Amino acid sequence: TEDGAGAFDCICQKCGLQAGGVRDVKLWQRFCLWPLSFFLVIFLGTGVLLIEQNTRQVFELNLNQLSEEQKSITEGLNWYIYTSSVRDSRRGIGKTNEYIREYMENRPRIRGIYYLITEAGENAQEVYSNLDLELPVMPPGEVTYTPQYKILQYGEKQFLRLSSLFTLPYQTYEDACFMDITDFVQNRSRQYRYFFGLFFVTAAVLAVGMYGISRHLTKSVSLLTESIRKIGSGNYTELVEVRGNDEISELAARYNEMAQAVEDKIFALEKTTEEQRRFIDNFSHELRTPLTAVVGYADLLRSADLDQDASQQLGERIFKQGKRIEKLSELMLQLVFLEHHSFELIPCDLREVVMEAETILQPSVQKAQMKLIVQVPEGPVMIRAERELLLNLLGNLTDNARKASNVGDTIQISIRREAGEAMIEIEDEGEGIPEGEQDKVFETFYMADKVRSRRNDGVGLGLSICSDIVKIHHARLELVSRVKVGTKFTIIFPMLQS
């Protein structure tokens, strides 16, 4: 109906809802509104059913009492008329109405019950009545031997009427019994007034309670929403306080894990971006230096009138800087190759790789007037590896050790096993790396001793390539170094179990 629709719109406005805007209902409003509405509907329906059930039972008791009273009157009249007729012999004939009045007047009266006995028929004559009110009776033609009841309104009072026919010797009569049920009806109204009062008090208390509970239950969700809003504005460090062990707390904990993961990812991306920027800057710098030299020497060779020795010297310098550019390009390609290529690691004996590396590295070490010592254990040392990458790794580390060492120094490569792991150690007796720079040596283009590195045609990419090769083999690379004592690189591989 229109009234019902208006009431619903009013309730929606009080609850913060918009017409047709169920989608706009907030979570705390749903927690508050739906359980409250469900409970109140059940409470209201249960209360009305209980009151009506109680009313029906009381009414049936009154109706049964009136029916029993009517039945008792009929049986009592039959007995009284019989005994009176026997007593009066033939003189009792035709005195039935008088006997009825005598019986009814001498019968104990029940408070609130009234009787009207009339002769049946069109011209019914009243036989007995104790009514002091003018209450309607059933039309004569509608009364049957089966009792029929009806509730009558008389002013502010209400009566239950029970009508039926009964037969006495020589005559049929209509018996109408009336019971005053005003208290019964008023009691029903009182029950409804009390129930609706209790209903509205309960609704108010529940509304306040459900509001508090829903706000408490959704507090963590509100905090999550606020934190997500802050993340959207760029604040990735916002975490939610976790309390309890319920589903909301678990959601908050999972959110904190997600926020931490996002923060770590953002930090990693920022670090990667910074590394890339620094890489590009360093690469540009490293490339610009030899290119500037090449352009300068070439211009001088082109424009100046030089003799053959000077021209030869400039050509050598151009060649040297060109080789440096070539080496830089080659190492850059290696880095890109390692980053974007997938390698198949197959079982191999680490001893065989180290012995092959010794054969390759021995000439360059001897040319630098240094000694290369290789120590391998007895028995195979099996790991999963890509053989060519391992040779590259050992070559870079040994070459780095050679550049850091002096004439007559010793470079040692050894293999050992420990706790299910295979280790390769490359140790030199060179200048060492200062403690404050040891964490930076694996960065691209970083050179701890720039003067020595320039002298040895270093570009700062060798150890960065070593770090990438170690990661490909799921291994670890550790560094121990002391200035003026030497440096030791340790590569730790997971060893295959035999």
Side-chain angles (χ1 to χ4, degrees):
T1 64
E2 294 181 358
D3 293 341
F8 180 77
D9 292 340
C10 181
I11 292 173
C12 289
Q13 292 173 3
K14 290 182 179 179
C15 293
L17 310 180
Q18 299 177 358
V22 177
R23 295 179 182 177
D24 298 332
V25 180
K26 294 184 178 180
L27 183 61
W28 73 265
Q29 291 174 334
R30 294 189 183 189
F31 276 144
C32 179
L33 184 61
W34 303 134
L36 177 63
S37 301
F38 177 77
F39 176 81
L40 291 180
V41 168
I42 297 299
F43 183 70
L44 179 63
T46 303
V48 170
L49 287 176
L50 288 175
I51 292 175
E52 290 300 320
Q53 179 68 17
N54 180 65
T55 300
R56 187 179 299 107
Q57 290 179 351
V58 174
F59 177 79
E60 289 177 354
L61 288 175
N62 290 332
L63 183 61
N64 289 335
Q65 181 184 1
L66 196 60
S67 179
E68 291 296 326
E69 179 66 14
Q70 192 179 63
K71 182 178 179 181
S72 176
I73 290 173
T74 301
E75 293 176 351
L77 282 173
N78 274 291
W79 177 252
Y80 185 78
I81 290 172
Y82 172 76
T83 56
S84 296
S85 298
V86 171
R87 181 191 64 201
D88 296 338
S89 184
R90 292 180 60 84
R91 289 175 297 176
I93 300 174
K95 298 176 64 176
T96 302
N97 291 352
E98 182 179 344
Y99 290 148
I100 291 174
R101 285 191 290 273
E102 288 178 2
Y103 175 79
M104 295 301 296
E105 290 174 353
N106 293 322
R107 177 183 173 84
R109 296 185 61 181
I110 300 176
R111 183 175 177 276
I113 298 181
Y114 304 91
Y115 310 97
L116 174 62
I117 300 176
T118 59
E119 294 178 352
E122 293 293 333
N123 298 319
Q125 179 182 354
E126 182 180 302
V127 178
Y128 173 80
S129 175
N130 64 345
L131 283 170
D132 53 3
L133 304 172
E134 294 183 3
L135 297 175
V137 297
M138 291 184 65
E142 298 180 6
V143 184
T144 63
Y145 285 95
T146 302
Q148 303 174 65
Y149 74 87
K150 186 176 182 180
I151 297 177
L152 307 175
Q153 179 76 35
Y154 186 84
E156 296 181 355
K157 291 189 175 184
Q158 289 187 328
F159 293 87
L160 173 63
R161 183 188 70 191
L162 188 65
S163 303
S164 66
L165 297 176
F166 68 95
T167 302
L168 294 176
Y170 316 112
Q171 183 66 42
T172 299
Y173 294 88
E174 179 182 339
D175 182 10
C177 296
F178 300 86
M179 175 182 285
D180 187 350
I181 59 172
T182 303
D183 289 341
F184 161 73
V185 175
Q186 291 178 347
N187 182 60
R188 178 174 178 267
S189 299
R190 284 193 297 270
Q191 288 182 358
Y192 268 110
R193 286 194 298 272
Y194 174 78
F195 170 72
F196 281 113
L198 178 63
F199 174 79
F200 287 116
V201 171
T202 303
V205 172
L206 277 177
V208 174
M210 289 300 297
Y211 173 81
I213 293 173
S214 62
R215 278 296 196 182
H216 175 73
L217 290 177
T218 58
K219 183 178 180 181
S220 297
V221 178
S222 300
L223 293 176
L224 282 173
T225 303
E226 181 64 19
S227 297
I228 293 172
R229 185 189 65 79
K230 292 181 179 179
I231 283 183
S233 62
N235 182 5
Y236 300 101
T237 61
E238 186 71 21
L239 298 180
V240 180
E241 183 179 359
V242 180
R243 294 181 179 178
N245 296 313
D246 56 8
E247 290 80 0
I248 298 296
S249 300
E250 183 177 355
L251 175 62
R254 298 292 82 77
Y255 166 80
N256 287 341
E257 292 178 0
M258 181 197 70
Q260 186 63 49
V262 170
E263 182 182 3
D264 294 342
K265 188 66 175 178
I266 293 298
F267 177 77
L269 289 175
E270 290 176 348
K271 184 178 179 182
T272 301
T273 302
E274 177 63 23
E275 290 177 352
Q276 289 177 347
R277 184 192 63 78
R278 189 167 59 249
F279 178 85
I280 293 173
D281 292 343
N282 292 332
F283 178 70
S284 300
H285 175 75
E286 293 295 328
L287 188 61
R288 183 169 56 249
T289 300
L291 281 177
T292 301
V294 169
V295 172
Y297 294 148
D299 183 63
L300 181 60
L301 185 62
R302 177 179 63 86
S303 59
D305 185 13
L306 303 175
D307 56 22
Q308 185 175 359
D309 291 338
S311 299
Q312 181 70 25
Q313 186 178 7
L314 287 176
E316 288 292 334
R317 292 180 180 178
I318 293 174
F319 177 78
K320 184 176 181 181
Q321 295 300 326
K323 292 297 291 184
R324 185 179 176 191
I325 294 174
E326 181 184 23
K327 183 175 182 181
L328 178 63
S329 301
E330 180 183 349
L331 293 176
M332 286 292 297
L333 289 175
Q334 286 189 32
L335 281 175
V336 173
F337 179 75
L338 292 174
E339 183 177 352
H340 295 90
H341 190 75
S342 58
F343 297 91
E344 182 182 1
L345 305 181
I346 61 175
C348 64
D349 189 350
L350 194 56
R351 299 180 308 160
E352 295 179 359
V353 178
V354 171
M355 297 301 294
E356 183 177 352
E358 179 188 14
T359 303
I360 298 172
L361 298 172
Q362 193 68 255
S364 61
V365 174
Q366 290 179 353
K367 184 177 180 181
Q369 300 180 15
M370 301 175 191
K371 290 188 293 184
L372 178 63
I373 300 176
V374 175
Q375 296 180 344
V376 295
E378 295 182 359
V381 181
M382 301 301 296
I383 63 169
R384 288 189 177 276
E386 208 289 327
R387 193 181 189 90
E388 294 301 323
L389 289 183
L390 279 189
L391 291 174
N392 192 349
L393 172 63
L394 294 174
N396 282 333
L397 291 177
T398 304
D399 189 57
N400 190 76
R402 178 184 60 79
K403 293 175 181 179
S405 302
N406 298 311
V407 175
D409 288 346
T410 299
I411 300 173
Q412 180 172 307
I413 304 176
S414 59
I415 300 176
R416 61 187 180 91
R417 308 184 189 93
E418 184 176 317
E421 294 178 324
M423 303 177 184
I424 301 178
E425 295 177 344
I426 298 97
E427 186 173 2
D428 63 55
E429 300 173 348
E431 297 295 325
I433 303 172
E435 185 175 354
E437 298 184 3
Q438 293 180 13
D439 294 335
K440 302 177 182 179
V441 295
F442 297 104
E443 297 179 5
T444 54
F445 295 109
Y446 184 81
M447 291 178 285
D449 189 344
K450 293 181 174 54
V451 176
R452 179 184 293 268
S453 297
R454 296 297 185 197
R455 190 170 65 245
N456 290 300
D457 295 328
V459 294
L461 291 176
L463 290 181
S464 180
I465 293 174
C466 292
S467 178
D468 288 347
I469 294 175
V470 168
K471 291 178 182 177
I472 291 172
H473 287 82
H474 311 292
R476 307 193 306 274
L477 182 58
E478 296 179 354
L479 167 64
V480 177
S481 182
R482 293 174 60 188
V483 178
K484 303 298 181 182
V485 175
T487 302
K488 179 170 70 173
F489 287 96
T490 304
I491 313 164
I492 306 171
F493 297 91
M495 191 167 62
L496 291 179
Q497 301 298 325
S498 57

